[in-house]
Amino acid sequence: MEKLDTLKQLINGELAAAIQYKIAAESLVGNDNFDYIKSHCEEHSEEEFEHYQLLVAALMQRDGSADYKIQSAVDAALPATEELENTEVAYIRDFFARAEDNAIDAYMSFHESIKEEDPDLDDIILGIVEDEREHKLDFTRIGRIQPTLESFKHKQKANKILHEMLTRK
């Protein structure tokens, strides 16, 4: 596959990821127990869109064409970018950890193919890889701090005791 074709696939993947993170963030509205994952999804959506913009600029600098249709962008992003099929927090966490792994693999493969030929583009790619690794780490950490029913009950009990102490006369 030609370098610019691969670059277009990466562009499509970043756009799809930005949209998926946005959808995930919006699906968690109103669920205060999961504000932490919602905020990560919102932040990562913005970062994925920045990656998209960086890659489009790199494509244009290399005389590439961005004249493709939305549906072809979505089709080209799949199957490397999976469909988001559920809005439960555990699913979202695992989905994005897996998606970040797929992105890292795709970028590292592209890095290997261009590192000698196009060092400027390679610098962009390696910067994106670092961001994707941080995104995966964020979702790995979320898995360790996700609230459990027991921690929620403990917090409720602590709040009740504190309330009773403060309202005693």
Side-chain angles (χ1 to χ4, degrees):
M1 183 178 296
E2 188 180 319
K3 175 175 72 172
L4 296 183
D5 291 335
T6 302
L7 187 53
K8 284 181 182 181
Q9 281 189 317
L10 295 172
I11 288 168
N12 294 337
E14 289 296 337
L15 185 57
I19 292 167
Q20 287 174 325
Y21 274 120
K22 186 71 170 165
I23 290 168
E26 290 176 359
S27 72
L28 295 168
V29 168
N31 191 341
D32 294 338
N33 292 328
F34 302 112
D35 281 345
Y36 62 93
I37 196 167
K38 179 181 180 286
S39 67
H40 280 293
C41 288
E42 288 170 342
E43 176 186 333
H44 295 326
S45 175
E46 292 170 10
E47 289 177 2
E48 300 294 355
F49 192 72
E50 289 172 9
H51 296 163
Y52 163 81
Q53 291 173 314
L54 277 171
L55 294 175
V56 167
L59 178 68
M60 296 298 103
Q61 290 172 350
R62 286 154 185 80
D63 297 323
S65 167
D67 60 345
Y68 43 86
K69 295 180 173 64
I70 296 296
Q71 187 58 49
S72 63
V74 171
D75 292 344
L78 298 169
T81 304
E82 300 175 39
E83 290 288 339
L84 186 60
E85 297 174 351
N86 191 318
T87 58
E88 292 181 15
V89 171
Y91 173 83
I92 289 172
R93 179 196 63 223
D94 295 343
F95 175 90
F96 285 116
R98 193 173 55 251
E100 295 299 349
D101 269 339
N102 291 343
I104 292 165
D105 290 346
Y107 279 111
M108 290 308 295
S109 175
F110 190 51
H111 154 74
E112 288 300 323
S113 72
I114 65 160
K115 64 184 178 184
E116 302 296 327
E117 169 195 343
D118 194 338
D120 292 335
L121 179 57
D122 192 47
D123 286 344
I124 293 169
I125 296 303
L126 291 176
I128 292 172
V129 166
E130 287 307 307
D131 286 347
E132 304 298 1
R133 286 181 175 151
E134 287 177 25
H135 294 174
K136 182 180 181 206
L137 186 57
D138 283 345
F139 282 98
T140 302
R141 288 180 183 140
I142 285 169
R144 292 196 297 262
I145 63 170
Q146 180 175 342
T148 62
L149 182 57
E150 287 79 32
S151 68
F152 180 70
K153 287 179 180 177
H154 179 72
K155 184 178 177 181
Q156 280 184 319
K157 184 177 179 181
N159 285 340
K160 182 179 177 184
I161 292 169
L162 179 60
H163 176 69
E164 288 171 0
M165 289 173 52
L166 293 173
T167 56
R168 280 189 200 153
K169 294 184 179 184

